Amino acid sequence: MARNSLLDRFRPVGSPGPAGPAGVPAGDEEGPEAELIPVFESLDPTIRHARGRTEDASAGAAETVAQARSRAAALIEQARMDSGAVRARAAAEVAEKTGAEDALMLSNAGSEATELQERGESRIPELAAAIVAEMVADLLGDTDS
């Protein structure tokens, strides 16, 4: 029992009738639409399934993007809050370092002032004697000095 297939249309045209060229379609009366409609109808569930998966993927991507934006916004806000604390810590460190340097400079200045005062006080008797000697020489009329 012969079955009709798509390839049947390419069989050589045989009897009855005059001889024809080999490979000429035998049944053109229905046209390609009649042959292709069942093919596309059989693809319809696959196309619907593909569209559904595409829509699901688009929705999933939109949700992922929304979550990523939310996380990014939270990270930015946390960074802003952390930056204030870091700046405050840095300012405190600078103030502490500067305060320590200032205290050291003040201590050194105090030491130098004390040293200068002690040297000045140690020269007082010598300078007083020189001044008294000069005054006595002026009183006696001695102008050699």
Side-chain angles (χ1 to χ4, degrees), residues 97-133:
K97 182 179 178 185
T98 305
E101 290 174 357
D102 288 348
L104 179 62
M105 195 182 315
L106 184 60
S107 174
N108 289 342
S111 298
E112 288 179 25
T114 302
E115 183 182 329
L116 286 174
Q117 187 175 3
E118 288 173 356
R119 276 195 290 172
E121 287 174 356
S122 69
R123 292 186 62 199
I124 288 177
E126 175 188 331
L127 290 174
I131 292 172
V132 168

Side-chain angles (χ1 to χ4, degrees), residues 74-95:
L75 286 173
I76 289 170
E77 187 59 33
Q78 185 64 41
R80 283 186 180 139
M81 290 188 305
D82 291 347
S83 70
V86 169
R87 285 183 184 150
R89 249 192 333 267
E93 288 174 8
V94 167

Side-chain angles (χ1 to χ4, degrees), residues 53-65:
R53 290 194 61 174
T54 302
E55 290 169 1
D56 292 346
S58 294
E63 184 178 334
T64 301
V65 167

Side-chain angles (χ1 to χ4, degrees), residues 26-37:
D28 266 349
E29 60 276 352
E30 294 180 12
E33 293 86 12
E35 294 177 13
L36 295 177
I37 287 174

Side-chain angles (χ1 to χ4, degrees), residues 40-67:
F40 288 123
E41 286 177 349
S42 69
L43 289 176
D44 203 30
T46 306
I47 292 171
R48 279 196 305 268
H49 178 70
R51 282 186 184 143
R53 290 194 61 174
T54 302
E55 290 169 1
D56 292 346
S58 294
E63 184 178 334
T64 301
V65 167
Q67 290 173 353

